[in-house]
Amino acid sequence: MDKLNVIDPSFLTLSGDQLALLGPYFWMIGAALLAMIVGVIRFLPSKWTVFAVAMVGILGGLFVSANQIGMDRADLFGGMMVADGFSAFFNVLFLGTAALSLCASLKYLDKEKLQYPEYTILLLFSTIGMMLMASALDLITIFIALEIMSLSVYVLVGFRRNDRRSNEAAMKYFILGAAASAILLYGSALLYGSTGTFVITEILARISAKGDLMTPVFHLGAWMVLAGFLFKIASVPFHMWLPDVYEGAPTPITGFMTTGVKAAAFAAFIRVFVAFGYGKDLTSAVEGRLHDVLWVLAVATMFIGNVIALTQTNLKRMLAYSTIAHTGYLLVGMIAAPHAESGFAPVAMYLAVYTVMNLGAFAVLSVLAGRGDTGLNLHDLSGLGKRHPWLAFSLAIFLFSLAGIPPTAGFASKYYLLYSAIQAKEVWLVVLAVLCSAIAVYYYLRVLVYMYMREPQADTPSAKDFTPAAAAFAVAMMVAMTLQIGILPAKMMAITKRVVAKL
Amino acid sequence: MMLKWIPLLPLIGFTINGFWYALIQCRPGAKKAGAGIPGLIATTMIFLSFLISLRVFFYLKGQPEDARLVEEHLFSWMKVGDFNLEMALRIDSLSTLFTLVITGVGTLIHLYSIGYMGHDATPGKFFAYLNLFCFAMLMLVMGSSLPILFLGWEGVGLCSYLLIGYWYQDTEKASAGKKAFIANRVGDFGFILGMFLIYTHFGTLEFGKITELLGKSEFTTLLNPTAVTATCLLLFLGCTGKSAQIPLYVWLPDAMAGPTPVSALIHAATMVTSGIYMLARLNLLFSLSHTAMTVIAVIGALTALLAATIAIAQNDIKKVLAYSTVSQLGYMFLACGVGAYGAGVFHVITHAFFKALMFLGAGSVIHGMHEEQDIMKMGGLKSKMPVTFVTFLVGWIAISGIPPFAGFFSKDEILWNTFAGPHASKFLWAIGLFTAMLTAFYMTRMFYLTFMGTPRFNEAAMGANGHGHHDDHGHDHGHSDDHGHGHGPKGVHESPALMTIPLVVLAVLSIVGGFIGIPHHSWLEHWLEPVIPGHAEGAFSVGETGELVLMIVSVLAAAGAIAYAWKTYTNLKSAEARKKKHAKLHEALENKWYVDEAYEATFIQPIYELSVKLWKGFDVGVIDRIVLGFGRVSQWTGQAARTLQTGSIQVYAIMLLFGLVMTLAYLIKGFM
Amino acid sequence: MNEINPGVEPWLVQSFCAIIFFIGLAGVMMRRNILVILMSVEIMLNAVNLSFVAFSRQHADMGGQMAVFFIIVVAAAESAVGLGLLIAMFRTLKTVDTDEIRLLKE
């Protein structure tokens, strides 16, 4: 064998700076491992200690990540990972999601008699996987991170192991997810084969230098990788798993999935999208086609999501379809990003805002759910305004935000997104997006009608008389954030602009 | 510097009082609270604002002339593409005067209100609204850009609505509030369009930049004159709404349905002067359009005349003052219309003093007369309410324009500029002079009928049991009456110190306030020069002697009118006879020239009918059908698409592959 | 490369991998027994492994072979999770036939 690429020793050394940049990971991994140990010590009340350990880890990581947002880009592990503003921003997002989900699930697990430390530990591992996804620059790292995140989530979806629906949901998610990951992996293989490197920035460099590297094999591989991501974000036609899985999973996990997993997938999607040189006029023929394909997918996603949501009476399923619709809007942002002045900033902001609103909605639902996630149909919510005025108000704010009504954050972020789409001259997309938003208002506000204008039913299954403190705190924080970003969006816009500038 | 505290303190007062009201008072069974604590909180806040405004004023005074500007940038509100809206405050020589007036007179009125609203059921709400109003007004004058000004503009409109309709249980009063808001809104539509035009032509909405651009002649010569005129007229439309000029003045007399301190604060001293502030602020822009200036001057003069004529025939003490306010505002616009923006501002300040004084005095009278507001049923209060009498006297003399009281200097400045200034018009001067005579006349009439002569009411009938007549001045029915004089002396009495002290202070200001603008030694004009450029030398067509002659003429005219009125009303019977002689004219005047009825017939009824037609015919018939049709189609599509979700993993996997292959095929085809 | 070690033509290996991959994919789509579906997923992953190795050889870059190690580990973990979920599901649903697991639909 003549010269083979041996492992570069620099991969194995980490300078002090780089260690500091890995701070969030250390916090989280430490917390997860410690939680595993603490969870089995018998004489400690596992519920609170594990929760405390997890929260300490998350908050520590959050603090460190928040500091990192303004920092310059630094490559870690010889180019396999990166720590820049973009990954720091998403880290903050993921850690926040984890913290809020934990708060919302505390009492929920008691209700379901599922108070096992494994829940928290899996949540932590999943978050670690998400964080890794946002920072990964290497196709294999992306795959590994994707799997870490997904495997934990598969188990969490099936956490209610005596419930058939939960099992079924987990199985469906697992099978389809595994298939999609395999497709993504094969795509990576083809990409590796055509360009000779894994690192996505390297890929971009090589195809910019040598245009004829973009063989059909390259495009096949690139598209398969993108398809893997599209599966995770539930774009049409890869969305079929989402409603079933969301409906069957325990409610806080649904909240966690719809926000964290999707945001992670988008983060990696954005990086990969940029790396494949789309939007840089490398091969305009294919690019035009890619644009068309994404266009059709975005429109289809928006429509299908919204239109089917109209027919749903189960709130979880309805929100699941609305998730699909929001993916559609995000895809609009993705299409517009290469040609718009603000780049991917509106997408990042939309993801952040979307996280807050969806988590809030699902947190409220977790509180309201009866045993086994019953009691989440529309007519079960009748008269919520009278029974739990503050919960109803919070849910109302989140629904307004999801519908995109000022002065909530949902409106600000949607406006920013559509504005960048107009800048990219995607007028038809904007028109269709607005039409779909209008359709969406119906099913969001229908909930409001039931909450405030119907009388409470006598047979509503166990609505709690009080709201658990942790969940209440989480919900309150999210309401505050929704309103604050809605009224003063400038700061968030500035932050996102900064973090995507150096992608 | 602490600029942001000036509006922030009243906002905090609003929050405290508002929360206390909402959370505590609104609970069923809460006991009625006194006006002391909320009043104290509110007054303290506005007083502190006044102190800070004073400090800012002295700071500016210490600066060299071209550096008299303090700016404070708070945060960036909205940044969309090229449009950047910053929340920033700025005080220069013009706005510092306004902040002093707002906070100073405001403090006095807050103090007064503690006494006046002493027995009201919901003082917390009242003081919360008052503070909110002060916040909005301060934002208006301190804003560094048109949108911030507009924020304050709308805010004062809102508070005006809330406070006019404060006793909302009475439908009439609630309607008055609505009328105010709607009239304001019509004006605001003009204001917004004006703002758009400014943005289009100037590219910015910030005052600093606008003034800078207007100072450059190479910029102004390139501006389209029609656009400039249109902008000015649209902005002026906003002023007619807010500052009660023709055609949108109709809300102000009705606004007297609110509590008297509200009338004093909002409709005498502050809100109605926002229009003048805006004109003064953008004076360079308005000076560019001769047409617009003429329109403003003419409307100002006509309004002054119209309102003065109506005031002659009013019997409600507050209505007289209301029309008087409209008339004086007309003077201020007349001043701006002939280019004497400084004179307009001067009149704003002096008017704030004596009009607030008279409103508060009227409130004191109403309070003492147990809700009686009809001057025909008053009389002889001189001995019964001495402090009110003296202070009201001062106000009366001030507004009639007798030197050396405040009103003389400012009114004279206006008349002088109208006669001899650069954009003079002798015709408008004549109107102005005639109106001054009418002003003196109806003020004297009101003063005489209220305070002099013999009482025309039955004093014994007032007191613990009855409340005389309350035509327009009801309260929440039942419990809250702020003059339940089970305690205190029976009959008519002087108001408590909390109410009379502000009267005295304002009286003093009405006496000495004019001295800031003595002709040819006008401190005020000099002070305003950075914002309002002074007149060039030789701009006046008449020399100094001419000026003196005009001054004497106006004083004599006013004195003559006073004497005539005095004589007329000393002998009431002959006054009645004269009234009968001109019965038709009098009736027209009393009914405000039937303007409201005309509006109703020409605008409101037809619009209403058109609305009903559009609603039934078009909205329900056509649009609803289309929209519901969309809804049905969406629902149907939803149901159809739903069936795809069969629940079978196989199907899902097939869809996955199908999607993948189709998209792939399309992509690769492009490459082949 | 091919001069020193003639080996197999790259495109042949790749086509082979592709075929195996699609066999696995077909298995996921068409088999009813979940255990078999899991096996098909494994087949897909292993096809990818082979592809990586072949490409690594083609580019003379160890990276591909390193990737294979990672993928094997991940595949193992995935199997573990999958089988765990399968057993949990079997306990409650008493079946591993996909046609009968259709509680969640529409």
Side-chain angles (χ1 to χ4, degrees):
Chain A
M1 309 248 208
D2 52 302
K3 61 167 173 68
L4 295 166
N5 283 340
V6 203
I7 301 174
D8 187 342
S10 73
F11 278 20
L12 300 174
T13 56
L14 280 176
S15 66
D17 294 328
Q18 295 189 321
L19 268 178
L21 288 172
L22 283 175
Y25 294 100
F26 286 134
W27 277 99
M28 287 297 283
I29 296 177
L33 295 175
L34 193 59
M36 282 204 288
I37 297 174
V38 162
V40 292
I41 298 180
R42 265 181 209 268
F43 63 85
L44 284 173
S46 68
K47 169 172 147 188
W48 288 109
T49 23
V50 172
F51 179 70
V53 168
M55 287 306 277
V56 165
I58 294 177
L59 291 173
L62 203 67
F63 182 68
V64 175
S65 298
N67 280 341
Q68 279 183 354
I69 291 189
M71 291 169 71
D72 287 329
R73 187 194 168 105
D75 280 359
L76 298 168
F77 294 113
M80 280 171 64
M81 267 178 65
V82 68
D84 61 359
F86 186 76
S87 68
F89 177 77
F90 275 96
N91 282 352
V92 169
L93 199 64
F94 302 142
L95 290 167
T97 308
L100 293 169
S101 297
L102 269 180
C103 288
S105 14
L106 211 54
K107 267 291 182 332
Y108 178 86
L109 292 175
D110 281 337
K111 199 168 32 173
E112 301 281 331
K113 305 229 183 2
L114 283 174
Q115 192 66 263
Y116 299 117
E118 282 80 5
Y119 183 90
T120 314
I121 296 167
L122 282 169
L123 207 76
L124 289 174
F125 278 131
S126 185
T127 318
I128 295 173
M130 291 180 196
M131 283 162 49
L132 204 54
M133 266 188 92
S135 324
L137 274 187
D138 184 297
L139 286 171
I140 296 298
T141 318
I142 292 180
F143 172 71
I144 295 175
L146 183 71
E147 287 301 310
I148 296 177
M149 175 179 80
S150 306
L151 288 176
S152 319
V153 174
Y154 298 152
V155 180
L156 283 171
V157 166
F159 208 70
R160 255 205 309 255
R161 37 180 200 182
N162 296 320
D163 180 4
R164 292 189 192 159
R165 305 160 74 93
S166 191
N167 289 325
E168 179 185 332
M171 206 64 225
K172 279 189 180 157
Y173 196 16
F174 175 79
I175 291 175
L176 293 169
S181 299
I183 293 178
L184 188 145
L185 197 60
Y186 195 44
S188 312
L190 293 177
L191 279 176
Y192 172 64
S194 51
T195 55
T197 173
F198 283 112
V199 182
I200 56 181
T201 45
E202 254 310 291
I203 293 180
L204 180 61
R206 286 190 196 191
I207 57 178
S208 312
K210 259 179 83 169
D212 55 337
L213 270 184
M214 292 182 96
T215 57
V217 172
F218 175 85
H219 287 294
L220 184 61
W223 182 244
M224 285 176 83
V225 170
L226 291 179
F229 284 120
L230 285 175
F231 168 85
K232 258 306 186 266
I233 63 179
S235 146
V236 164
F238 311 116
H239 69 287
M240 320 281 301
W241 57 274
L242 194 136
D244 298 346
V245 172
Y246 277 30
E247 194 189 340
T251 315
I253 293 300
T254 316
F256 184 68
M257 274 200 290
T258 186
T259 53
V261 171
K262 188 183 290 251
F266 259 108
F269 191 24
I270 291 177
R271 281 209 204 271
V272 165
F273 198 71
V274 167
F276 289 164
Y278 292 125
K280 297 206 176 137
D281 291 322
L282 285 172
T283 347
S284 27
V286 175
E287 198 168 311
R289 299 217 152 213
L290 179 73
H291 174 268
D292 292 341
V293 168
L294 283 178
W295 197 100
V296 170
L297 288 191
V299 171
T301 313
M302 288 193 291
F303 261 108
I304 299 234
N306 277 317
V307 150
I308 305 188
L310 286 177
T311 63
Q312 299 298 325
T313 54
N314 181 320
L315 271 176
K316 274 174 78 176
R317 223 172 155 90
M318 184 190 92
L319 284 175
Y321 281 109
S322 102
T323 298
I324 299 179
H326 282 285
T327 302
Y329 304 135
L330 282 164
L331 281 178
V332 169
M334 294 288 289
I335 296 175
H339 304 285
E341 187 197 317
S342 36
F344 288 99
V347 177
M349 178 169 169
Y350 198 90
L351 278 171
V353 166
Y354 168 79
T355 299
V356 172
M357 8 184 227
N358 252 343
L359 262 182
F362 278 106
V364 172
L365 288 182
S366 322
V367 171
L368 290 173
R371 185 86 199 278
D373 274 345
T374 51
L376 285 179
N377 284 313
L378 270 181
H379 63 262
D380 291 323
L381 280 188
S382 309
L384 195 69
K386 290 205 180 69
R387 289 187 280 136
H388 295 265
W390 288 105
L391 270 182
F393 172 70
S394 312
L395 191 58
I397 295 281
F398 294 131
L399 288 170
F400 273 124
S401 192
L402 282 166
I405 296 179
T408 57
F411 167 75
S413 54
K414 196 171 282 190
Y415 174 74
Y416 195 30
L417 195 79
L418 293 178
Y419 183 76
S420 79
I422 298 254
Q423 274 185 327
K425 309 230 180 10
E426 298 284 349
V427 182
W428 270 110
L429 267 182
V430 172
V431 169
L432 289 169
V434 172
L435 267 179
C436 291
S437 298
I439 299 179
V441 171
Y442 169 71
Y443 59 80
Y444 287 125
L445 296 191
R446 187 173 49 181
V447 182
L448 279 174
V449 169
Y450 272 88
M451 283 202 294
Y452 285 107
M453 300 182 200
R454 299 281 154 93
E455 288 308 311
Q457 308 274 355
D459 57 342
T460 317
S462 69
K464 283 192 123 42
D465 292 325
F466 65 96
T467 312
F473 173 70
V475 169
M477 264 195 65
M478 289 189 268
V479 172
M481 276 198 269
T482 311
L483 289 173
Q484 195 251 341
I485 299 181
I487 300 178
L488 297 171
K491 185 140 188 277
M492 184 58 114
M493 289 189 198
I495 295 179
T496 48
K497 255 194 137 142
R498 230 181 342 140
V499 302
V500 303
K502 307 170 205 160
L503 257 184
Chain B
M1 268 244 161
M2 319 201 308
L3 275 191
K4 63 173 177 282
W5 288 108
I6 300 181
L8 203 58
L9 284 168
L11 186 65
I12 295 177
F14 161 71
T15 321
I16 298 178
N17 274 328
F19 266 117
W20 179 72
Y21 173 72
L23 293 176
I24 300 180
Q25 278 239 294
C26 277
R27 290 231 194 101
K31 52 182 168 55
K32 203 176 79 141
I37 298 181
L40 191 63
I41 295 176
T43 315
T44 317
M45 289 298 169
I46 191 87
F47 182 63
L48 289 173
S49 277
F50 174 64
L51 291 178
I52 302 180
S53 312
L54 210 55
R55 182 161 171 238
V56 173
F57 172 70
F58 281 115
Y59 170 76
L60 283 179
K61 205 152 177 293
Q63 298 286 87
E65 223 179 82
D66 46 359
R68 288 214 178 115
L69 176 64
V70 183
E71 275 183 304
E72 189 170 321
H73 179 261
L74 295 174
F75 53 86
S76 172
W77 192 4
M78 236 193 289
K79 228 187 255 213
V80 181
D82 284 333
F83 178 64
N84 201 351
L85 181 56
E86 306 279 327
M87 178 72 77
L89 300 172
R90 108 205 274 260
I91 292 196
D92 58 9
S93 19
L94 176 67
S95 33
T96 186
L97 292 175
F98 272 87
T99 47
L100 281 175
V101 168
I102 296 169
T103 48
V105 176
T107 310
L108 292 170
I109 295 181
H110 274 76
L111 198 60
Y112 180 92
S113 309
I114 305 182
Y116 191 80
M117 303 295 283
H119 296 266
D120 188 64
T122 53
K125 187 161 79 152
F126 183 76
F127 283 104
Y129 286 161
L130 267 189
N131 264 10
L132 183 66
F133 170 82
C134 290
F135 163 71
M137 190 69 206
L138 286 166
M139 289 302 282
L140 198 157
V141 301
M142 286 173 63
S144 71
S145 59
L146 269 170
I148 313 286
L149 189 150
F150 190 64
L151 175 73
W153 190 272
E154 291 293 312
V156 296
L158 170 72
C159 294
S160 169
Y161 163 74
L162 291 172
L163 284 164
I164 294 174
Y166 182 67
W167 289 306
Y168 59 89
Q169 280 92 345
D170 184 334
T171 354
E172 226 180 87
K173 299 196 199 311
S175 303
K178 259 195 303 185
K179 188 169 176 179
F181 194 75
I182 295 177
N184 263 251
R185 228 44 198 106
V186 175
D188 291 346
F189 143 81
F191 188 102
I192 296 181
L193 286 180
M195 258 207 307
F196 288 163
L197 281 175
I198 291 188
Y199 186 67
T200 328
H201 291 277
F202 286 72
T204 173
L205 287 169
E206 293 186 29
F207 289 129
K209 297 208 184 94
I210 293 179
T211 325
E212 204 183 297
L213 283 171
L214 284 168
K216 297 192 193 143
S217 57
E218 61 267 17
F219 178 77
T220 51
T221 43
L222 286 175
L223 283 175
N224 178 355
T226 330
V228 172
T229 308
T231 313
C232 295
L233 287 177
L234 285 169
L235 288 172
F236 180 61
L237 184 63
C239 295
T240 59
K242 194 63 94 206
S243 303
Q245 299 294 293
I246 294 172
L248 294 172
Y249 69 91
V250 290
W251 62 271
L252 199 127
D254 284 26
M256 298 299 118
T260 313
V262 169
S263 309
L265 181 62
I266 297 186
H267 309 128
T270 45
M271 179 174 111
V272 293
T273 57
S274 349
I276 313 291
Y277 172 76
M278 209 246 309
L279 278 186
R281 176 59 72 200
L282 293 172
N283 69 82
L284 291 171
L285 176 67
F286 282 90
S287 300
L288 287 176
S289 164
H290 193 67
T291 325
M293 302 260 287
T294 316
V295 169
I296 296 176
V298 168
I299 290 193
L302 285 180
T303 311
L305 182 62
L306 178 76
T309 53
I310 300 179
I312 299 179
Q314 297 302 312
N315 285 337
D316 182 338
I317 191 174
K318 285 178 75 172
K319 286 252 169 38
V320 177
L321 290 174
Y323 282 106
S324 162
T325 305
V326 176
S327 179
Q328 297 300 308
L329 285 169
Y331 269 110
M332 297 178 214
F333 279 101
L334 174 61
C336 293
V338 297
Y341 299 95
V345 173
F346 187 21
H347 202 57
V348 166
I349 300 177
T350 56
H351 176 260
F353 296 150
F354 54 68
K355 195 46 72 60
L357 166 65
M358 285 202 284
F359 265 111
L360 294 185
S364 175
V365 166
I366 295 173
H367 176 101
M369 291 285 289
H370 304 276
E371 316 317 315
E372 182 54 67
Q373 285 184 213
D374 187 343
I375 57 177
M376 291 315 225
K377 299 200 176 76
M378 298 181 187
L381 290 178
K382 166 168 96 175
S383 42
K384 306 229 181 351
M385 308 180 71
V387 180
T388 313
F389 167 69
V390 170
T391 50
F392 207 92
L393 181 97
V394 170
W396 162 57
I397 298 187
I399 195 176
S400 305
I402 306 293
F405 285 45
F408 162 70
F409 289 105
S410 54
K411 201 179 285 195
D412 190 72
E413 186 77 17
I414 296 177
L415 288 175
W416 161 240
N417 271 285
T418 316
F419 188 85
H423 300 274
S425 156
K426 309 266 190 306
F427 175 63
L428 290 179
W429 173 81
I431 296 184
L433 186 65
F434 182 59
T435 310
M437 289 169 58
L438 287 178
T439 309
F441 180 81
Y442 66 71
M443 277 298 168
T444 313
R445 168 179 179 264
M446 182 181 79
F447 179 73
Y448 191 86
L449 286 174
T450 311
F451 288 99
M452 313 297 290
T454 49
R456 288 183 297 280
F457 54 90
N458 185 353
E459 188 166 346
M462 308 203 160
N465 7 325
H467 309 296
H469 312 257
H470 26 195
D471 313 322
D472 319 354
H473 193 65
H475 294 281
D476 302 331
H477 300 291
H479 42 284
S480 80
D481 82 40
D482 54 349
H483 315 298
H485 294 296
H487 58 288
K490 269 209 207 157
V492 180
H493 59 86
E494 183 58 84
S495 304
L498 264 180
M499 287 166 62
T500 49
I501 292 179
L503 288 176
V504 171
V505 175
L506 283 170
V508 170
L509 284 171
S510 301
I511 299 177
V512 306
F515 296 144
I516 58 174
I518 299 180
H520 299 293
H521 300 283
S522 172
W523 171 85
L524 184 68
E525 194 164 324
H526 184 71
W527 171 260
L528 285 174
E529 236 153 50
V531 183
I532 301 174
H535 293 299
E537 284 305 313
F540 289 89
S541 60
V542 181
E544 272 208 41
T545 32
E547 198 179 336
L548 203 55
V549 168
L550 282 171
M551 226 185 274
I552 296 178
V553 166
S554 53
V555 174
L556 283 178
I562 294 178
Y564 180 62
W566 199 274
K567 194 169 73 104
T568 314
Y569 288 98
T570 314
N571 184 351
L572 265 180
K573 292 237 171 28
S574 76
E576 286 286 322
R578 195 176 274 121
K579 184 162 103 170
K580 282 201 181 53
K581 210 166 68 163
H582 304 279
K584 268 268 177 68
L585 181 63
H586 192 267
E587 206 181 306
L589 290 179
E590 195 167 345
N591 285 311
K592 321 166 249 139
W593 293 105
Y594 300 109
V595 170
D596 275 323
E597 289 76 6
Y599 278 165
E600 175 84 28
T602 36
F603 292 113
I604 300 180
Q605 262 311 102
I607 290 182
Y608 181 73
E609 271 161 32
L610 183 64
S611 290
V612 173
K613 270 209 198 69
L614 281 178
W615 166 42
K616 293 228 173 79
F618 191 58
D619 196 28
V620 172
V622 178
I623 297 193
D624 272 354
R625 286 224 185 95
I626 297 181
V627 170
L628 286 175
F630 264 134
R632 264 190 280 270
V633 167
S634 310
Q635 285 260 7
W636 178 84
T637 324
Q639 286 289 23
R642 203 178 167 187
T643 51
L644 274 177
Q645 297 277 132
T646 56
S648 146
I649 301 184
Q650 258 58 54
V651 172
Y652 295 178
I654 292 178
M655 277 292 291
L656 213 152
L657 185 69
F658 178 71
L660 185 66
V661 168
M662 291 304 291
T663 46
L664 209 55
Y666 184 74
L667 268 180
I668 300 297
K669 207 161 82 94
F671 191 78
M672 296 304 199
Chain C
M1 207 56 212
N2 288 333
E3 310 84 46
I4 303 174
N5 255 330
V8 192
E9 293 284 311
W11 62 267
L12 261 179
V13 186
Q14 293 308 323
S15 331
F16 178 63
C17 297
I19 293 173
I20 299 194
F21 185 79
F22 280 104
I23 290 175
L25 198 53
V28 170
M29 289 195 297
M30 295 195 275
R31 300 297 296 243
R32 279 181 12 201
N33 191 322
I34 294 196
L35 210 47
V36 179
I37 293 179
L38 287 179
M39 288 195 275
S40 310
V41 172
E42 288 299 307
I43 293 178
M44 295 204 304
L45 289 171
N46 282 309
V48 177
N49 278 341
L50 194 57
S51 180
F52 266 117
V53 173
F55 277 129
S56 157
R57 167 87 168 188
Q58 185 186 346
H59 290 289
D61 176 33
M62 285 311 275
Q65 300 183 29
M66 288 186 331
V68 171
F69 278 110
F70 285 111
I71 298 173
I72 292 177
V73 169
V74 172
E78 205 164 336
S79 305
V81 169
L83 288 170
L85 287 175
L86 180 65
I87 293 179
M89 191 179 78
F90 183 71
R91 279 208 192 127
T92 55
L93 285 163
K94 306 279 188 268
T95 174
V96 287
D97 186 329
T98 54
D99 280 345
E100 295 173 24
I101 314 168
R102 289 167 65 162
L103 283 170
L104 298 165
K105 55 183 177 203
E106 293 228 327

